[in-house]
Amino acid sequence: VEAATALEDLQELYNYTKDADESLYTAASWVPFASALAGANEVLEAADPTEEQIEAAYDALSPAYNALALRALQHELDTLAAFAGMYSQYVEALYTPASWVPFKAALDAANALLADPTNASGPAVGAATEALITAGNNLKEALITSPLEGAIADAEALLAQGGWIPSSAENLQKAIDKAKALLAKEDLTQAEMVSMILELTDAMSHMFEQGNK
C-alpha cells in the first residue's frame, strides 16, 4: 500500500513537472532537473519498482524542480549590457584606488553574466545591474597632482643651482620635503595641494644668492 501511494505521488509530481520549458531556465539549473526527471520516468516505467527507488526518485525530482532558476529576460540583459558598455570606457587612472576596486569588481561580475547568458538568472542580472550602478555612482575622481609635482621639480632645479644663502636654501629644502610628504598622502585634497604650491612658490621667491641681501 505504501509503495502504491508513493508511486502515485511520484506520478503526480512527474506529470506536474514534465512539461517544464527548458528555454525558460538557466542551463546550470536545468541539467540536474532533467536528470532527475529522466530518473523518475525510469522508475515509473519499471515493472515493479521498490519503495526505496520510488522515494529516491521523488526526493531527487522535487528539489531539482524547485531549484529551477528562470533565465533573465532579454530586456534585463540589454539593460545590464548598456551599463557595462558605458562603464567599460572609464579610465582607471582618473579615479581613486579605493573607489575603483569595487567598481572594477562589479564591472567584471556584470561582464561574466553577459558572457554566459544561458546561466544568467533574472535575480542575478538585476543584482549585478544594481551593484554596477551603485559602484559607478560611488567612483571618486582622483586628484591630478601634476601641478604639485611640477612645482617640486622647479624648486629642486632652483636649489641645485647652488650659491644660495644657507638660510634661504634650508627654507626651500624644508618646503620641498614637506611637499613630497604631502604628495604621498592617499587622501590629499585640492586645497592642500594648492596651499603647498603657494608655499613652494613663496620659498623660491625668497632665495637669495650669497653676497646679496
Side-chain angles (χ1 to χ4, degrees):
V1 176
E2 291 183 359
T5 300
L7 191 62
E8 290 177 1
D9 290 342
L10 179 60
Q11 184 67 64
E12 182 178 353
L13 177 62
Y14 178 82
N15 291 341
Y16 180 76
T17 60
K18 66 183 178 66
D19 293 325
D21 186 348
E22 180 178 0
S23 66
L24 298 178
Y25 302 99
T26 64
S29 67
W30 181 263
V31 170
F33 166 73
S35 176
L37 188 67
N41 186 50
E42 289 181 6
V43 171
L44 290 170
E45 291 183 347
D48 189 22
T50 65
E51 185 175 349
E52 290 74 16
Q53 290 175 319
I54 297 170
E55 290 178 349
Y58 189 97
D59 290 343
L61 181 56
S62 180
Y65 178 74
N66 290 332
L68 283 174
L70 287 169
R71 288 187 189 182
L73 299 176
Q74 189 58 49
H75 76 84
E76 294 174 319
L77 290 169
D78 290 344
T79 298
L80 180 59
F83 279 106
M86 177 184 71
Y87 283 129
S88 293
Q89 306 302 314
Y90 281 34
V91 179
E92 180 178 359
L94 299 180
Y95 302 96
T96 64
S99 67
W100 182 265
V101 171
F103 166 76
K104 185 61 165 56
L107 182 58
D108 288 344
N111 285 327
L113 285 174
L114 293 170
D116 188 14
T118 61
N119 276 316
S121 69
V125 170
T129 302
E130 182 177 353
L132 182 56
I133 293 173
T134 299
N137 289 337
N138 288 336
L139 279 173
K140 294 182 179 179
E141 292 186 2
L143 185 64
I144 305 302
T145 59
S146 54
L148 178 55
E149 293 168 354
I152 292 173
D154 290 343
E156 289 180 326
L158 181 63
L159 187 62
Q161 292 177 12
W164 304 111
I165 293 175
S167 59
S168 63
E170 181 180 350
N171 183 56
L172 181 56
Q173 184 61 61
K174 288 181 179 179
I176 291 172
D177 293 340
K178 181 179 177 181
K180 287 183 176 180
L182 191 67
L183 194 60
K185 281 185 59 177
E186 291 186 2
D187 56 348
L188 175 63
T189 66
Q190 181 76 26
E192 288 175 323
M193 187 176 71
V194 171
S195 177
M196 190 67 248
I197 292 174
L198 292 175
E199 187 174 335
L200 278 170
T201 302
D202 182 67
M204 285 189 286
S205 69
H206 288 85
M207 292 291 284
F208 300 104
E209 295 181 3
Q210 294 186 25
N212 296 324
K213 293 184 179 181

